Amino acid sequence: MEVGKVWLVGAGPGDIGLFTVKGAEVLEKAEVVVYDSLVGQGVLSKIPRSARLINVGKRASRHTMPQEEINQVLLKEAMNGFRVVRLKGGDPFLFGRGGEELELLAQNGIPYEVVPGVTSPLSVPAYNGIPVTHRDFCSSLHIITGHKRAGQEYDIDFKALVNTKGTLVFLMGVSALEDICTGLMEAGMEPEMPAAILQKGTTAGQKRIVATISTLRAEVERQGIETPAIIVVGKVCTLAEKFSWYEALPLAGWKVLVTRPRDLISQTAARLREKGAEVLELPAIRTVSMEDQSRLYQVLEKLSQYQWLVFTSPTGVEVFFREMQNREKDIRSLGNAKIAAIGEGTRKKLRDRGLYVDLMPEVYDGDSLGAALAEILKGGERVLIPRAEKGNANLVKLLEEKGAVVEDIPTYQTLYESSPLIDEKKEFESNAIDCVVFTSASTVKGFVEGTQGLDYTKVKAACIGKQTKAAADAYGMRTYMSQKATIDSLIALVEEMKRSEEKWN
């Protein structure tokens, strides 16, 4: 058997936007993914569905698997010929024990690569407006592990750190905050030296406490802090308020769940992230082409006989033209057929193929499309609707009542799915998610399938249209509907929801 290969990949500090391009490319091709608890949810959601998952769960004081066993797992999976990605929070070589994991691989001749990650000592202060170096304050940066073994003293030369006059960043030091601050003061650091503790940096849970090394512990006890967090000591901490930028973004501090199918999710997620939201991409549905496309193949042989082609989703467009290609048909086969479509997304997919829509209703749903098309039909027209297996029955009814001959052909199925890595139900029960975005009634149903037993009155739902809102209302969710059935309008709705919440809090 051919030996596999291991990639040691740094997942960054939490924000999926800080995951490197190379890391994403390597992860996309992984056959086995070995991951730990410090990997951000955004990166976890990018793990391919086909990959086998091994959770080693490392976090301070809580270890699912000992380090020596992790090393053996990497060796075994590579020896069995797999492409193995060891996904680690931050950077694998900065207090990530990446060197230890490579030693066993090197001894056994296993090929490997290291993909560096954006590291929290630089990125988390940056997201909090703290430049770790600044010519007016310091000329060096020192990164120290704040973690110490139980019952042992720190193996840190505090005097040497004080003498550097540089910025000090302590990782994994929240539980030892008092020891760190006391150690620095006893080594001669001024009690008024600015210091900060930065919680869950680059995510919606980001929080900053700025004080001095003599008062930071008391401020943490007063205001509260959660892990993971880092400690920054140095005059640069005074710049935090002046240079802060993340909290100025309109959706900063909000965590939004997006449930669209994986192939349609990117634009919505990207727009929300531009506004500052932490976006969790967990598709509630996926679409698959029908195994038996014989009915569609029959009509593809007589496309020129249809006066209207009706598309109700971007997926319907993709599947239809893919099957045309499979049958070696091009757009000349469409003859003089006019095209009707629901929504901007569907229209864009058609326009990408050089086809312009003749009819699109003002309200983007099946009833509105059926009513608008029925209004201009004279009777006797042949209408082809290639769409999801379970489509809006009223669309066909409205057209047939006007005398149209309708071929309603299922070309793809909508299947429900949930994440094997992230417990969506727990996220809502712990109030970790501020809002869920629904772009269709089927995404609502898929979400419910994956969160059985959840009290849906806890869910704030941003819905793209009447049918989607009605589906969410049926489960008792707190629903809001965008003015238009467009992604722009949906993003604006989420912003308005946040402003309203802040107004009442």
Side-chain angles (χ1 to χ4, degrees):
M1 179 184 291
E2 188 177 340
V3 173
K5 183 172 178 176
V6 175
W7 283 262
L8 220 59
V9 177
D15 182 349
I16 179 66
L18 299 179
F19 190 36
T20 67
V21 172
K22 184 170 183 179
E25 289 173 349
V26 169
L27 184 60
E28 189 178 345
K29 298 173 183 175
E31 295 173 311
V32 177
V33 178
V34 180
Y35 67 100
D36 61 49
S37 301
L38 289 175
V39 176
Q41 291 180 328
V43 176
L44 291 178
S45 69
K46 295 296 185 183
I47 296 175
R49 197 164 49 238
S50 59
R52 186 155 46 85
L53 307 172
I54 302 174
N55 179 9
V56 296
K58 290 164 66 67
R59 184 167 271 186
S61 76
R62 298 196 301 277
H63 293 252
T64 300
M65 188 181 291
Q67 184 63 54
E68 295 73 18
E69 195 173 330
I70 295 172
N71 302 344
Q72 291 291 337
V73 166
L74 297 177
L75 175 63
K76 175 187 170 186
E77 296 295 339
M79 292 287 285
N80 285 333
F82 294 111
R83 296 173 57 91
V84 183
V85 168
R86 171 66 172 111
L87 201 55
K88 302 169 75 71
D91 181 90
F93 276 5
L94 186 67
F95 303 130
R97 304 184 76 171
E100 295 175 47
E101 295 180 352
L102 293 187
E103 283 177 5
L104 190 61
L105 300 177
Q107 289 170 13
N108 287 272
I110 302 296
Y112 56 82
E113 288 187 31
V114 179
V115 182
V118 174
T119 188
S120 62
L122 304 180
S123 56
V124 171
Y127 267 54
N128 281 275
I130 299 174
V132 290
T133 63
H134 190 289
R135 64 183 300 175
D136 294 339
F137 298 124
C138 66
S139 58
S140 65
L141 165 68
H142 309 270
I143 302 170
I144 311 103
T145 176
H147 179 69
K148 68 173 182 178
R149 298 193 178 189
Q152 295 187 13
E153 293 297 314
Y154 268 122
D155 185 22
I156 294 176
D157 189 339
F158 284 108
K159 183 68 175 174
L161 290 176
V162 172
N163 288 340
T164 66
K165 296 184 173 62
T167 302
L168 310 178
V169 180
F170 293 87
L171 306 185
M172 301 172 287
V174 175
S175 61
L177 176 60
E178 186 171 9
D179 290 343
I180 290 169
C181 292
T182 300
L184 291 170
M185 285 188 288
E186 289 178 349
M189 183 172 280
E190 290 290 328
E192 297 307 306
M193 177 62 74
I197 192 160
L198 310 176
Q199 164 190 302
K200 297 181 179 178
T202 81
T203 74
Q206 179 168 307
K207 178 180 177 180
R208 173 178 69 246
I209 299 175
V210 179
T212 67
I213 58 166
S214 59
T215 61
L216 187 59
R217 174 62 188 271
E219 284 301 311
V220 167
E221 288 182 352
R222 185 174 71 85
Q223 299 183 43
I225 208 78
E226 298 175 14
T227 57
I230 69 172
I231 300 161
V232 183
V233 179
K235 294 178 182 177
V236 290
C237 294
T238 61
L239 297 170
E241 190 170 344
K242 179 181 179 182
F243 290 164
S244 63
W245 57 272
Y246 171 75
E247 49 259 53
L249 297 172
L251 290 178
W254 257 39
K255 187 172 181 178
V256 180
L257 173 64
V258 179
T259 58
R260 299 191 82 185
R262 193 175 297 270
D263 57 334
L264 300 176
I265 213 167
S266 298
Q267 182 192 358
T268 309
R271 294 293 305 282
L272 288 164
R273 290 189 181 109
E274 283 175 11
K275 301 286 186 177
E278 178 185 356
V279 181
L280 187 54
E281 300 178 38
L282 295 179
I285 59 173
R286 62 187 174 94
T287 55
V288 295
S289 295
M290 302 290 290
E291 282 190 25
D292 181 4
Q293 296 282 18
S294 57
R295 283 190 63 200
L296 178 60
Y297 291 157
Q298 287 173 12
V299 301
L300 290 181
E301 297 303 322
K302 53 180 181 178
L303 276 178
S304 59
Q305 297 178 17
Y306 293 93
Q307 282 75 52
W308 282 93
L309 292 179
V310 176
F311 293 101
T312 60
S313 70
T315 302
V317 175
E318 290 285 349
V319 174
F320 179 78
F321 285 99
R322 184 167 62 241
E323 295 301 338
M324 275 188 67
Q325 189 173 24
N326 289 342
R327 303 298 282 186
E328 298 187 349
K329 303 285 185 183
D330 61 25
I331 58 173
R332 291 174 297 182
S333 306
L334 302 181
N336 295 317
K338 292 185 176 181
I339 297 175
I342 295 179
E344 294 291 347
T346 307
R347 177 160 70 176
K348 183 180 183 303
K349 285 287 184 185
L350 289 160
R351 195 166 55 230
D352 289 346
R353 297 177 177 278
L355 298 168
Y356 290 84
V357 171
D358 298 285
L359 174 71
M360 188 169 75
E362 290 187 16
V363 178
Y364 301 157
D365 60 37
D367 288 357
S368 300
L369 176 62
L373 183 52
E375 199 172 301
I376 61 175
L377 293 179
K378 296 176 181 176
E381 291 95 342
R382 295 176 64 87
V383 179
L384 173 61
I385 313 177
R387 58 174 178 168
E389 185 179 31
K390 296 177 181 177
N392 182 332
N394 201 41
L395 168 60
V396 175
K397 181 183 175 186
L398 289 167
L399 300 179
E400 288 182 337
E401 284 176 350
K402 194 62 185 284
V405 179
V406 180
E407 286 270 15
D408 184 19
I409 298 182
T411 61
Y412 66 93
Q413 292 176 299
T414 300
L415 305 178
Y416 302 136
E417 68 174 356
S418 58
S419 171
L421 291 162
I422 298 167
D423 188 339
E424 293 175 71
K425 182 170 176 280
K426 185 178 178 182
E427 291 285 313
F428 281 95
E429 289 174 340
S430 62
N431 297 313
I433 293 177
D434 296 282
C435 166
V436 56
V437 170
F438 292 122
T439 54
S440 68
S442 57
T443 60
V444 176
K445 293 169 187 171
F447 169 74
V448 170
E449 284 285 323
T451 55
Q452 293 288 327
L454 176 63
D455 176 1
Y456 293 106
T457 62
K458 291 179 176 287
V459 177
K460 292 194 292 289
C463 305
I464 203 167
K466 286 190 302 182
Q467 291 178 346
T468 305
K469 184 179 185 299
D473 283 335
Y475 294 100
M477 298 181 198
R478 294 152 60 190
T479 60
Y480 306 79
M481 190 177 80
S482 57
Q483 288 188 347
K484 296 180 179 179
T486 65
I487 299 303
D488 285 345
S489 186
L490 194 58
I491 304 299
L493 171 65
V494 176
E495 289 186 66
E496 178 56 36
M497 290 166 64
K498 182 173 185 282
R499 283 194 297 269
S500 297
E501 185 170 288
E502 289 171 343
K503 182 179 177 181
W504 290 105
N505 287 345

